[in-house]
């Protein structure tokens, strides 16, 4: 399949995930919610299509509507982490 295989997950990827998790924790959201908020905060994005494997996952995804868009400082922090 096209899924990321464990053998391809480098220390750099682990470090980026940990840094993103810290940002999510500071905002009080999950890593999934952070990703969706990042997308929703991009200029020109008016909707996000995402799938869910369970009712709980769907509710978590939908819960981002109670948050404001991310501030530029947070967006820039995320961009610095993932580059």
């Amino acid at each position: 399949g096209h899924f990321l295989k464990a053998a391809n997950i480098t220390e750099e990827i682990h470090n980026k995930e940990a840094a993103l998790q810290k940002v999510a924790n500071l905002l009080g959201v999950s890593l999934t919610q952070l990703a969706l908020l990042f997308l929703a905060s991009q200029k020109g994005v008016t909707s996000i299509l995402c799938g869910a494997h369970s009712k709980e996952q769907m509710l978590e995804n939908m819960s981002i509507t109670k948050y404001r868009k991310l501030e530029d400082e947070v967006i820039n922090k995320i961009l610095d982490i993932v580059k």
Side-chain angles (χ1 to χ4, degrees), residues 32-65:
T32 300
Q33 290 169 320
L34 179 66
L36 294 172
L37 286 166
F38 178 81
L39 290 173
S41 299
Q42 300 304 300
K43 292 179 178 144
V45 173
T46 57
S47 60
I48 301 169
L49 300 176
C50 57
H53 293 284
S54 66
K55 178 181 175 183
E56 291 77 19
Q57 190 178 39
M58 179 191 67
L59 292 172
E60 178 184 10
N61 292 348
M62 291 174 49
S63 73
I64 69 159
T65 59

Side-chain angles (χ1 to χ4, degrees), residues 24-37:
N25 291 347
L26 287 172
L27 296 173
V29 299
S30 71
L31 199 51
T32 300
Q33 290 169 320
L34 179 66
L36 294 172
L37 286 166

Side-chain angles (χ1 to χ4, degrees), residues 11-23 31 81:
E11 184 176 348
E12 179 184 9
I13 291 172
H14 277 291
N15 292 340
K16 288 180 179 187
E17 185 273 335
L20 290 168
Q21 186 63 61
K22 287 181 183 178
V23 173
L31 199 51
I81 292 169

